[in-house]
Amino acid sequence: MKPTDPEVEKMREAARAAMKNAYCEYSGFAVGAAVLTGAGEVFVGCNVENASYGLTMCAERNALFQAVAQGHRDLKAVVVVTPTEKPATPCGACRQAINEFNPDAEIFCFAENNVVEQFKLSELLPHAFGPRNLGRE
């Protein structure tokens, strides 16, 4: 996949729309995300902060969990959109959650003016602990 693919463009627009709904009262850092399943369905999420910081939910996990709640386990790609000059990659917790469903998922990180960086999750989380470590593939 490439950042200019229609699927990725659709995800970017969906993530940008979700970002507008972010509840980021503490950090002021809005994030929108979209995940693409193997079936071609797109699920979105935004970050939702909490006064008890440990209860904050990132946009990427929010979108991923939406897909899982609808029965999807075959993650293909993730798009992250932030209102920054440089793209921001998923945090460690989000990387680990994505790894559960596809260690080779395509990750597209978009910043303002459509600046984009593309990675395989395995590049962002090398030597990850996952299902294979527990004898599950």
Side-chain angles (χ1 to χ4, degrees):
M1 297 180 76
K2 296 180 181 176
T4 55
D5 287 352
E7 287 177 311
V8 176
E9 284 290 320
K10 177 182 174 184
M11 293 171 66
R12 182 180 58 80
E13 289 306 317
R16 181 167 281 141
M19 180 178 66
K20 293 177 183 173
N21 293 324
Y23 180 77
C24 51
E25 301 299 308
Y26 304 98
S27 71
F29 190 75
V31 181
V35 299
L36 176 67
T37 68
E41 292 192 51
V42 173
F43 293 87
V44 299
C46 62
N47 55 319
V48 180
E49 296 180 350
N50 188 282
S52 173
Y53 291 105
L55 297 179
T56 293
M57 179 59 59
C58 297
E60 299 91 329
R61 283 181 287 147
N62 198 335
L64 176 61
F65 297 167
Q66 295 287 334
V68 171
Q70 294 298 314
H72 296 276
R73 307 283 192 275
D74 54 342
L75 181 67
K76 187 174 177 182
V78 177
V79 165
V80 179
V81 175
T82 55
T84 55
E85 288 184 31
K86 295 180 180 180
T89 59
C91 75
C94 290
R95 293 175 191 195
Q96 185 66 42
I98 295 164
N99 181 74
E100 185 73 17
F101 299 98
N102 185 354
D104 291 315
E106 295 284 344
I107 310 294
F108 298 90
C109 304
F110 287 91
E112 290 295 315
N113 301 318
N114 295 325
V115 175
V116 63
E117 291 182 353
Q118 179 179 355
F119 308 91
K120 290 267 192 205
L121 179 65
S122 56
E123 294 175 275
L124 295 175
L125 188 65
H127 313 292
F129 182 86
R132 73 179 180 282
N133 297 102
L134 300 173
R136 299 179 181 184
E137 292 293 326

